[in-house]
Amino acid sequence: SLFRLKDLELAKLGDSDVHVKMLAAPINPADINMIQGTYPILSPLPAVGGNEGVGEVLEVGRCVAALKPGDRVIPASTGLGTWRTQGVFPEETLLKVPGDIPVLSAATLSVNPCTAYRMLTDFQSLAPGDSVIQNAANSGVGQAVIQIAKAFGIKTINVVRDRPDLPKLVERLVALGADHVVTEEMLRKPEMKDLFKSIPKPRLALNCVGGKSTTEMLRHLQPKGTMVTYGGMAKQPVMVPVSAFIFRDVRLRGFWMTQWKKDHAQDQESLASMMDALCQLIRRGQLTAPACTEVPLQDYKAALEASMKPFTSSKQILLL
């Protein structure tokens, strides 16, 4: 086991530091990958796990101007180590979030909804009525894509793996605003032609699976459409028929939220306007936290195990 629950001394509060009481932090696939060492970011060990979460400011150093006790904060970048009850962090590693955002929404805000928002806005200029296709549609990002697209008036075609409780999952995604939910197998069936009688073929495909799933999604992309890969859960390469490149001029791009944040470190405006837009959607009830299971910190082992099970449709959230 790579994990232990440990009591650590709290660092002394420096002039530019913020003492935070953590409230809730999710377990995401990337958190596990980081710990397994299969992620591009390696934390010097021993390290505290967790890249996402929400906390409350208890105390600030004397040079801290933007935050005050009682403020809610989330991590500004990857690698903060959110699976802890309290921490002392440099001010620039934290972002203030409005206090009226539900705790679970704030705890799951900095990675998945941001990823969904950027992928929907940065690669194709989509207009209301356009459509998007995505695989792993019940993932944290997938659920955010469905809801944000719906708010923008964009139709979604959502691909999921076949499973025992498929009707239940379809119902849940449709309730979130999914226009169509199809299984991987259905992607190559003639019925897909009927589906495209009512909505246009997608100009954007979002891929976090790889392998066959990707090739099947690409078939339905419009000429000059873009496929953005942001994960590879099948651990297989992205396979593209040569004809898709030559005759349909499809574009293949990649996206990594951590890199986006690095690239925009000097551009606080773009980060602020995205956070603003997402918080507005949350307030209006158009963007909810993913389906969550709340777990007290001492039960972290069960939570980690549950987060690695196949077909999990619920995100494990550590309550701190």
Side-chain angles (χ1 to χ4, degrees):
S1 161
L2 300 161
F3 295 98
R4 274 206 302 283
L5 203 51
K6 250 185 101 140
D7 287 320
L8 301 176
E9 279 289 297
L10 260 187
K12 224 170 89 52
L13 187 74
D15 288 348
S16 309
D17 289 340
V18 180
H19 178 191
V20 176
K21 172 187 186 297
M22 292 304 295
L23 301 171
I27 299 177
N28 290 319
D31 302 331
I32 307 280
N33 295 344
M34 258 172 99
I35 292 150
Q36 291 167 336
T38 57
Y39 206 65
I41 297 172
L42 293 174
S43 300
L45 296 172
V48 178
N51 290 297
E52 201 179 24
V54 62
E56 185 183 317
V57 175
L58 294 178
E59 196 187 350
V60 300
R62 59 186 186 86
C63 299
V64 174
L67 294 170
K68 59 185 189 311
D71 282 349
R72 287 270 170 91
V73 288
I74 62 174
S77 55
T78 314
L80 194 64
T82 52
W83 300 344
R84 61 173 101 210
T85 53
Q86 296 191 17
V88 171
F89 307 108
E91 176 183 21
E92 71 272 8
T93 62
L94 301 169
L95 279 181
K96 184 176 165 176
V97 286
D100 63 349
I101 300 297
V103 166
L104 291 183
S105 291
T108 53
L109 180 60
S110 63
V111 179
N112 296 332
C114 291
T115 300
Y117 184 88
R118 296 266 55 106
M119 292 195 305
L120 285 170
T121 47
D122 292 354
F123 295 93
Q124 283 274 356
S125 48
L126 298 171
D130 281 342
S131 80
V132 173
I133 189 167
Q134 63 164 346
N135 54 24
N138 63 319
S139 66
V141 171
Q143 293 176 53
V145 165
I146 290 171
Q147 297 175 82
I148 296 167
K150 174 95 176 164
F152 289 172
I154 295 160
K155 307 277 183 211
T156 55
I157 301 152
N158 300 282
V159 185
V160 295
R161 287 180 297 176
D162 201 0
R163 63 193 63 213
D165 59 346
L166 186 65
K168 220 162 74 192
L169 175 62
V170 172
E171 198 181 315
R172 204 162 60 84
L173 296 182
V174 168
L176 283 181
D179 295 284
H180 299 276
V181 182
V182 298
T183 61
E184 301 271 354
E185 291 71 34
M186 270 182 69
L187 277 181
R188 54 186 99 95
K189 297 251 168 77
E191 289 94 283
M192 286 299 286
K193 284 204 176 58
D194 299 336
L195 190 150
F196 291 120
K197 285 177 183 154
S198 59
I199 62 168
K201 287 205 155 192
R203 294 181 33 215
L204 181 67
L206 306 177
N207 164 49
C208 79
V209 178
K212 210 189 267 154
S213 170
T214 317
T215 317
E216 294 299 338
M217 272 203 316
L218 268 179
R219 265 179 210 214
H220 303 294
L221 206 54
Q222 275 193 34
K224 295 203 186 329
T226 303
M227 184 173 77
V228 183
T229 292
Y230 68 98
M233 290 177 351
K235 297 188 167 57
Q236 286 158 358
V238 167
M239 306 285 278
V240 183
V242 171
S243 60
F245 274 132
I246 300 174
F247 303 119
R248 300 201 352 262
D249 190 17
V250 298
R251 281 112 221 257
L252 265 65
R253 300 285 307 273
F255 182 76
W256 187 31
M257 194 63 220
T258 302
Q259 189 61 46
W260 186 93
K261 284 184 174 163
K262 273 196 197 121
D263 295 345
H264 293 80
Q266 301 316 311
D267 172 16
Q268 283 310 299
E269 191 33 56
S270 60
L271 183 63
S273 73
M274 167 171 68
M275 285 304 181
D276 237 29
L278 291 170
C279 287
Q280 285 295 1
L281 291 175
I282 291 169
R283 276 193 199 96
R284 289 195 221 119
Q286 292 178 301
L287 177 61
T288 55
C292 291
T293 305
E294 302 177 36
V295 184
L297 181 59
Q298 58 270 26
D299 299 341
Y300 74 93
K301 282 199 173 101
L304 285 164
E305 267 166 38
S307 73
M308 295 195 233
K309 282 205 180 83
F311 300 127
T312 12
S313 286
S314 188
K315 195 170 275 299
Q316 305 291 311
I317 306 260
L318 298 171
L319 296 184
L320 308 161

